[in-house]
Amino acid sequence: MKNNIKILIVSTVALACTFDAPGANVNIGLVNGDFESPSIGTGATFNSTTAPTGFGWTIASGEIDLLGASYWQPASGTQSLDLSGYFLPGSIYQDFVFPSAGTWVIKFALSANPDFTWQGDGQGAGVKNLRVDFGIPGQMSSLGTFGVDADSRSIWDMNWVIITTPELLIPDATTYRLQFTSLVPGAAGPALDRVELQIVPEPSVAGLLLVLAVGGAFHQRRLKRA
Ligand SMILES: [Ca+2]
């Protein structure tokens, strides 16, 4: 169906509407989660042997495009990725340690290449999927496959969607790997920006005491009436 934004979620996933205030959390735990480094100008294509210094992510396979705001609208900052490069779908990962134990989610901005430079070849049409894998290197599993439709998008209005992964219970300072893999061959793939880690607040002690107090008062009233 054209002109409908389709969001494919093969997992239990919550969608958030907005990020936190600009700049918040972007550099917690991850390096270059906003893909602002290195400053690339209009854009360039990289593979595992040409990944630029300062990129912070390992290109595991295929190709990616690092694109500036003069090419298309980023979700955050001035740069973002097309996870499919010139010919090949790309896969990038980063090994990192969560800043603390606790319950965390990973958030990222997702769009789809609307086929700017090759308009008319059909590559900018349809849903552009990527898969998110996470875990200890060698023991990873999928957090889901996510995609949005390129048909309703343009380089001036990328209509970035914020994806939030399922909650991850992190017990300690283990090194984990986060990997994004394009499932789209050719030059127009899923677009990725602003990857960040966000801790899930635990219910506060004051809140729990309030719940207990209200419950206790209600129970007492019932006893008096009985
Ligand atoms: Ca960015």
Side-chain angles (χ1 to χ4, degrees):
M1 245 168 74
K2 283 189 177 260
N3 299 324
N4 278 347
I5 301 170
K6 301 169 192 167
I7 303 174
L8 178 63
I9 304 173
V10 189
S11 181
T12 304
V13 177
L15 285 176
C17 296
T18 59
F19 281 120
D20 295 329
N25 298 321
V26 170
N27 293 314
I28 291 180
L30 291 170
V31 174
N32 197 27
D34 211 5
F35 305 114
E36 299 299 304
S37 175
S39 180
I40 205 67
T42 300
T45 301
F46 299 102
N47 60 34
S48 62
T49 61
T50 61
T53 301
F55 186 52
W57 297 80
T58 298
I59 302 174
S61 62
E63 304 165 333
I64 59 152
D65 295 326
L66 180 58
L67 299 169
S70 59
Y71 191 88
W72 70 31
Q73 175 195 41
S76 175
T78 61
Q79 298 189 158
S80 60
L81 291 188
D82 180 347
L83 208 51
S84 295
Y86 201 70
F87 291 113
L88 299 171
S91 183
I92 64 169
Y93 71 80
Q94 185 171 144
D95 293 341
F96 66 100
V97 176
F98 285 89
S100 68
T103 302
W104 290 79
V105 293
I106 298 164
K107 298 172 72 173
F108 60 94
L110 177 69
S111 184
N113 187 332
D115 202 15
F116 174 47
T117 57
W118 299 92
Q119 281 177 337
D121 67 359
Q123 290 195 21
V127 176
K128 308 293 184 174
N129 287 314
L130 61 76
R131 191 184 67 245
V132 182
D133 295 301
F134 171 81
I136 297 169
Q139 305 173 38
M140 296 172 67
S141 58
S142 173
L143 294 182
T145 297
F146 308 89
V148 293
D149 199 327
D151 294 17
S152 60
R153 290 172 160 77
S154 73
I155 57 169
W156 303 281
D157 183 9
M158 292 290 281
N159 192 16
W160 293 89
V161 172
I162 310 308
I163 304 291
T164 302
T165 68
E167 293 182 352
L168 308 167
L169 185 59
I170 305 301
D172 51 29
T174 300
T175 295
Y176 290 94
R177 178 169 295 180
L178 173 63
Q179 188 158 4
F180 294 91
T181 301
S182 170
L183 304 179
V184 181
L192 178 66
D193 201 6
R194 187 154 173 152
V195 183
E196 64 178 296
L197 312 177
Q198 191 171 82
I199 197 162
V200 178
E202 295 179 8
S204 70
V205 173
L208 285 174
L209 290 175
L210 179 64
V211 170
L212 289 171
V214 170
F218 179 71
H219 182 62
Q220 283 186 347
R221 280 202 301 272
R222 284 178 60 91
L223 287 177
K224 285 178 181 173
R225 286 180 181 176

